[in-house]
């Protein structure tokens, strides 16, 4: 699809007072590193590639809207912050779908002066942008593709991942559900490679880390699946938990069919970006009022009411009148880490920016209550994940889901921060990134 300028940008602007509050907070941090800004040009920019959303289904459209709003918020806040120090910062946005279109968008953005690019909302787009970044010599931050292969066989030297990896999501999922008593797991997978990779990874975490849990069954489904048959198989297997390793829209179809088929076990699904939106939570709950009012794993939650998350969520809600979905958070943080790398690293060339991102001493506050950093072996951001509960009756999007858990726990006396955050995801010994 041909890239287009951000279709949401004109209407998605922030209220000035909240932006000012944020900017002043950022200014305090920036001032302390002012001496490190030696070669930073007076004007610099980061390009953002978001999904088009035009003609997409409601779940994909929700991701596009959130990404657009997160991009606009980041552009406004960091431009204001830079202006306070006599710099000019811009964050131009292009909407594009598909590998060829996102690469074309990246080329346009860098031709216009962007020193780095934020984007990647599925495996194919992120892989294409990672390849392009390696060839073009331009840093790229992936904010929407969780596939582990991007951090392993397809890792590229200038690509960094703010979006949590599939390994992190699945490790967190196992930690929560096994500890809460769901020991018999039944998997429903698609016929695609990404689903197969997720299944292999979750099998590994159950085998290596949760000896009391076991797989009691697995079924691969195609289009127009017989969900009553899947429900019967899971019931006969005495499953405690059914895990849907399926695209978001198919998960909604599946939970409706499983409830209609009389399944009594808990059901959850892989948290693709579309499956972390308020639109998904509503569709999931409405499709299956009993099974759909359970728990989900997410990279961000709009009801976090602590540390800087409270202010970030409040500013976003004040600006756009809706909860901050994870895609908005991810785009915002993708811009933030690159902005800080340029500002505190002292330049916008690829060596300076990636050197700062990779430096073990570089710590990024992504408003999760703990300093985060990029793992040196696969350039994945270490970060906590969240368990949310979908409300059975709420009609207000904000109260549709609430935060009920966090993993890893950020307060663990006697442990180091990196050690805590590396409890989920692949460690250096398991990395295939070369």
């Amino acid at each position: 699809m041909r890239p287009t300028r951000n279709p949401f940008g004109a209407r998605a602007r922030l209220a000035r007072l909240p932006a000012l509050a944020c900017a002043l907070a950022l200014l305090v941090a920036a001032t302390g590193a002012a001496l490190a800004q030696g070669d930073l040009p007076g004007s610099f920019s980061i390009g953002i590639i978001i999904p088009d959303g035009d003609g997409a289904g409601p779940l994909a459209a929700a991701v596009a809207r959130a990404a657009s709003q997160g991009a606009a918020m980041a552009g406004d806040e960091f431009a204001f912050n830079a202006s306070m120090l006599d710099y000019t910062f811009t964050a131009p946005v292009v909407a594009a779908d598909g590998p060829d279109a996102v690469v074309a968008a990246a080329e346009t953005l860098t031709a216009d002066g962007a020193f780095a690019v934020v984007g990647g909302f599925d495996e194919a787009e992120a892989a294409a942008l990672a390849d392009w970044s390696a060839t073009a010599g331009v840093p790229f931050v992936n904010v929407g593709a969780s596939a582990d292969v991007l951090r392993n066989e397809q890792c590229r030297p200038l690509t960094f991942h703010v979006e949590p990896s599939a390994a992190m999501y699945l490790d967190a999922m196992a930690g929560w559900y096994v500890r809460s008593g769901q020991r018999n797991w039944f998997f429903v997978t698609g016929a695609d490679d990404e689903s197969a990779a997720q299944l292999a990874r979750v099998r590994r975490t159950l085998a290596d880390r949760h000896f009391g849990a076991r797989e009691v069954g697995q079924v691969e489904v195609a289009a127009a699946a017989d969900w009553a048959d899947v429900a019967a198989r899971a019931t006969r297997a005495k499953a405690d938990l059914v895990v849907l390793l399926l695209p978001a829209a198919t998960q909604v179809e599946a939970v409706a069919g499983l409830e209609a088929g009389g399944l009594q076990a808990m059901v959850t699904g892989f948290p693709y970006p579309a499956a972390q939106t308020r639109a998904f939570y509503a569709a999931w709950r409405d499709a299956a009022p009993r099974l759909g009012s359970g728990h989900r794993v997410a990279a961000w939650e709009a009801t976090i009411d602590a540390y800087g998350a409270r202010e970030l969520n409040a500013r976003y809600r004040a600006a756009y009148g809706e909860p901050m979905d994870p895609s908005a958070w991810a785009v915002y943080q993708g811009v933030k880490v690159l902005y800080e790398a340029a500002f505190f690293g002292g330049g916008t060339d690829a060596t300076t920016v990636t050197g700062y991102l990779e430096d073990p001493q570089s710590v990024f506050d992504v408003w999760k209550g703990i300093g985060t950093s990029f793992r040196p072996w696969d350039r994945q951001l270490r970060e906590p994940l969240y368990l949310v509960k979908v409300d059975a009756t709420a009609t207000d999007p904000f109260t549709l889901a609430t935060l009920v858990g966090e993993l890893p726990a950020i307060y663990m006396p006697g442990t180091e921060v990196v050690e805590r955050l590396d409890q989920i995801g692949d460690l250096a010994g398991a990395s295939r990134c070369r």
Side-chain angles (χ1 to χ4, degrees), residues 40-41 81 88 182 204 229 246 264 266 274 315 344 363 367 372 411 420:
L40 185 67
N81 179 39
T88 299
Q182 279 68 52
R204 197 171 90 206
D229 179 65
L246 302 167
Q264 298 299 311
M266 287 187 180
R315 292 201 307 277
F344 299 159
V363 177
W367 287 299
T372 65
Y411 302 110
R420 256 173 275 164

Side-chain angles (χ1 to χ4, degrees), residues 297-389:
V297 176
W300 182 252
E301 167 51 33
T303 58
I304 300 174
D305 189 28
Y307 21 89
R310 176 189 297 121
E311 287 71 27
L312 182 68
N313 278 326
R315 292 201 307 277
Y316 186 90
R317 195 176 176 193
Y320 303 108
E322 58 186 77
M324 188 178 207
D325 276 341
S327 290
W329 171 87
V331 170
Y332 184 96
Q333 301 304 338
V335 174
K336 183 173 184 288
V337 299
L338 286 167
Y339 178 94
E340 292 179 357
F343 217 100
F344 299 159
T348 57
D349 61 283
T351 300
T352 297
V353 171
T354 58
Y356 187 88
L357 294 174
E358 291 176 324
D359 189 338
Q361 301 303 313
S362 297
V363 177
F364 302 94
D365 182 2
V366 295
W367 287 299
K368 291 194 172 188
I370 189 170
T372 65
S373 58
F374 286 95
R375 291 171 176 147
W377 53 89
D378 61 4
R379 291 173 285 281
Q380 170 66 55
L381 186 72
R382 303 177 169 99
E383 56 185 300
L385 300 180
Y386 302 103
L387 184 68
V388 302
K389 174 76 167 60

